[in-house]
Amino acid sequence: MNVKQFYEETNGSYQNALSVMMNDTLIARLLGKFMSNNSFDEIISCYENKDYRNLFSAVHSFKGVTGNLALTPLYDLSCKITELTRNKDDANIDSEIAELKKNYLLVVEKYNQYLK
């Protein structure tokens, strides 16, 4: 699997990533950094502990990184969760977090396939 296929299989925007980072080598390097950080784990920890103040901060940072990497489904969901936590509207957060987790696990799976 190459970088473009990774984006196709995760419903990301390869063209947007390429327009920002200019080549597959840089995209791959930054994807690796994203996959090795603990930002997603921090989101889940804050959510499980009902720490919505820090959840807002964690998901807001995640939104920026996923936006820059053009990981569209993760970005879109983190935008929704950012607004829910900003407005302290946790009524719909369970389903949004579940969807974020599902999409993140897909990205992890496809990234591992990309590495092979």
Side-chain angles (χ1 to χ4, degrees), residues 39-94:
S39 59
F40 180 77
D41 295 334
E42 184 178 351
I43 290 169
I44 298 304
S45 176
C46 290
Y47 166 72
E48 289 174 348
N49 292 314
K50 299 186 185 303
D51 181 357
Y52 296 114
R53 183 171 157 250
N54 286 320
L55 176 58
F56 169 78
S57 178
V59 80
H60 190 271
S61 296
F62 191 80
K63 177 181 82 164
V65 172
T66 57
N68 288 337
L69 287 170
L71 297 171
T72 310
L74 294 178
Y75 172 76
D76 291 345
L77 287 162
S78 57
C79 286
K80 289 179 186 177
I81 297 167
T82 296
E83 290 312 307
L84 290 171
T85 55
R86 178 190 319 269
N87 298 320
K88 298 178 178 44
D89 175 14
D90 62 350
N92 297 317
I93 203 166
D94 295 341

Side-chain angles (χ1 to χ4, degrees):
M1 175 183 299
N2 62 34
V3 172
K4 184 176 181 181
Q5 290 167 322
F6 166 82
Y7 273 88
E8 289 169 356
E9 294 194 21
T10 60
N11 297 310
S13 177
Y14 174 71
Q15 290 305 318
N16 286 352
L18 191 59
S19 71
V20 171
M21 293 173 262
M22 308 305 259
N23 63 62
D24 286 2
T25 302
L26 184 55
I27 294 171
R29 188 176 69 153
L30 294 176
L31 278 172
K33 287 183 181 275
F34 171 69
M35 297 308 298
S36 67
N37 77 25
N38 67 348
S39 59
F40 180 77
D41 295 334
E42 184 178 351
I43 290 169
I44 298 304
S45 176
C46 290
Y47 166 72
E48 289 174 348
N49 292 314
K50 299 186 185 303
D51 181 357
Y52 296 114
R53 183 171 157 250
N54 286 320
L55 176 58
F56 169 78
S57 178
V59 80
H60 190 271
S61 296
F62 191 80
K63 177 181 82 164
V65 172
T66 57
N68 288 337
L69 287 170
L71 297 171
T72 310
L74 294 178
Y75 172 76
D76 291 345
L77 287 162
S78 57
C79 286
K80 289 179 186 177
I81 297 167
T82 296
E83 290 312 307
L84 290 171
T85 55
R86 178 190 319 269
N87 298 320
K88 298 178 178 44
D89 175 14
D90 62 350
N92 297 317
I93 203 166
D94 295 341
S95 61
E96 301 298 337
I97 291 287
E99 193 66 24
L100 183 69
K101 187 182 289 189
K102 178 180 137 189
N103 280 275
Y104 182 77
L105 292 175
L106 174 67
V107 168
V108 169
E109 175 189 337
K110 296 304 177 180
Y111 184 74
N112 289 331
Q113 289 175 9
Y114 163 74
L115 290 177
K116 290 182 181 179

